[in-house]
Amino acid sequence: MSVTAVIGLQWGDEAKGKIVDLLTDQHEIVVRYLGGNNAGHTVKFDGQTYKLSLLPAGILRPGVQSVIANGVVINPKALLEEMKSITDRGLPIGENLIISDRGHVIFPYHHAEEAIFEASRGDSKIGTTMRGIGTCYRDKIGRAHAIRVGDFVRPAVLRKRLEEIVPYKNQILKCLDPNFKPFEVQALYDEYMGYADQLRPRVVDTTTFLHKALRDKKSILFEGAQGSLLDIDHGTFPYVTSSNASACGIQSGSGVPSRAIDRIIGVVKAYTTRVGGGPCPTELLDEIGQHIRDEGHEYGTVTGRPRRCGWLDTVATKYGANLAGVDCIAVMLLDVLGKLDELKICEAYEIDGERTTDFPSHVDDLAKAKPVYRTLPGWKKDITGVRRMADFPKEARAYLDSVSELVGAPVEIVSVGPDREQTVLS
Ligand code: GDP
Ligand code: IMO
Ligand code: MG
């Protein structure tokens, strides 16, 4: 039995999906515990590409139990579409998927509110995925206007909650946007009842399920979404997502105590990417940044937005690793750097003339941070066929050694291409 967590240590899109998929054959249960369809996890094997947003990557392996736990915010329409896209490809979804009755449900008014809030920030907008994630979490914390999955699958409760909430939302939205067209309780009820009827058989108390699984010594894999630096408490606030995207979200998002976790694998892209607003000290706004974007196909899985690209920032990543409490790291997309003559790794920041390796707690300080780089020679070779650590060119090994030293954790997995097979284990 082992309980493992896979956590992104940067600003998301570190290729967590690939690592989770790789580990699903050693685990009986895969759990998504935070975020919603803001996540986009890509898995490639046998010439097939799967893009998962809400479904845990365990859904791709027959016999694995997939769990959408209480910390997830669920857009039921998006979930049903995603489930259909998977069953259309011949993979079954039935009892192998369970959804927590404690999860929270996203409604169209969450999207409307998000659009207004984002517009109100003008040039300093967060750059959210516009999936109603933050506004749904806001209602969860506020309690008065939240609808949980357990409410949504009970017709009388759903109706009552919509009757209480929708007039309030209409009033607020009308004040904020005079052109706003009010939501109708009946139309929302009819639409959501249609989704509830399809999802009801999958809804259970996943917390109790996971407690029993722990007692039965089942192996469990936690599939992180987003990344440590997007954590609502510890990330680059306010340019973050609205949940605990570092490992501290596991306990609140699933009900599994952190002491039950045996191993935390931190997933690190060999360089830096970020989508949306907020400072990114190592961002490259030149031809090297564009080269990395082209080689790594760095366009968002969810929104298609070009990702901001830069050198690996180990001040930020080490902080992410400390938040997650990693046992080891997986270095992803190393192949993408294979054509560059020389590579840089940020090993410290200079802020107001002072050198530091501490990650600033205020974004304004992070915005002032000038990266201090270590320069290494490139390997200038195609490494996509490498399958053993010993077979990497010596320059690639030196790069990995620097990453391990600066992030402060051993590199146990290296990924050299998107396919399941293109993986090197230490
Ligand atoms: P996630 O959100 O952390 O699961 O990551 P995404 O799926 O959003 O983005 C990672 C992207 O990199 C996907 O398109 C993967 O197919 C791709 N990918 C994963 N590992 C590698 C790798 O080692 N090399 C290359 N070139 N691409 C990779
Ligand atoms: P995965 O799981 C990368 C970013 C958005 C935005 C900020 C807030 O695929 O790694 P939100 O819609 O969550 O309120 O947006 O967070 N963001 C992600 N960036 N990968 C993700 O997920 C992300 N999920 C949210 O771009 O900057
Ligand atoms: Mg992604």
Side-chain angles (χ1 to χ4, degrees), residues 144-202:
H145 301 122
I147 298 184
R148 301 217 292 187
V149 172
D151 303 327
F152 150 75
V153 296
R154 289 173 168 79
V157 182
L158 176 65
R159 169 133 229 145
K160 181 168 176 291
R161 296 298 288 132
L162 288 172
E163 279 168 359
E164 287 160 358
I165 296 166
V166 172
Y168 172 85
K169 294 283 185 191
N170 281 341
Q171 243 180 315
I172 296 279
L173 285 162
K174 184 83 191 160
C175 288
L176 295 169
D177 173 10
N179 300 320
F180 164 73
K181 189 169 160 289
F183 291 106
E184 285 170 20
V185 172
Q186 186 65 43
L188 279 183
Y189 175 79
D190 290 344
E191 181 187 346
Y192 273 67
M193 272 304 295
Y195 306 143
D197 287 343
Q198 295 174 71
L199 292 173
R200 195 175 292 108
R202 310 265 54 79

Side-chain angles (χ1 to χ4, degrees), residues 66-115:
S66 291
V67 178
I68 299 180
N70 62 283
V72 177
V73 286
I74 296 172
N75 177 329
K77 180 170 189 262
L79 176 58
L80 285 161
E81 280 168 6
E82 192 176 333
M83 286 164 67
K84 183 170 183 307
S85 77
I86 295 296
T87 52
D88 281 353
R89 293 173 73 174
L91 290 161
I93 301 184
E95 285 175 5
N96 59 334
L97 174 69
I98 54 173
I99 303 165
S100 173
D101 57 355
R102 293 183 176 91
H104 282 249
V105 182
I106 297 175
F107 285 86
Y109 45 76
H110 289 126
H111 295 87
E113 289 173 330
E114 182 175 24

Side-chain angles (χ1 to χ4, degrees), residues 42 93 160 178 200 227 230 254 414:
T42 316
I93 301 184
K160 181 168 176 291
R200 195 175 292 108
L230 289 171
S254 71
V414 181

Side-chain angles (χ1 to χ4, degrees), residues 13-18 40-42 301 307 333 335 415-418:
D13 300 328
E14 299 88 350
K16 300 173 292 293
K18 170 169 170 168
H41 297 177
T42 316
T301 313
R307 295 176 181 150
L333 295 103
D335 53 298
S415 176
V416 293

Side-chain angles (χ1 to χ4, degrees), residues 349-356 358 360 365-366 368-370:
Y349 294 153
E350 207 183 276
I351 302 176
D352 295 330
E354 297 271 332
R355 188 183 164 117
T356 181
D358 293 337
D365 293 330
L366 184 64
K368 286 192 282 187
K370 293 194 185 68

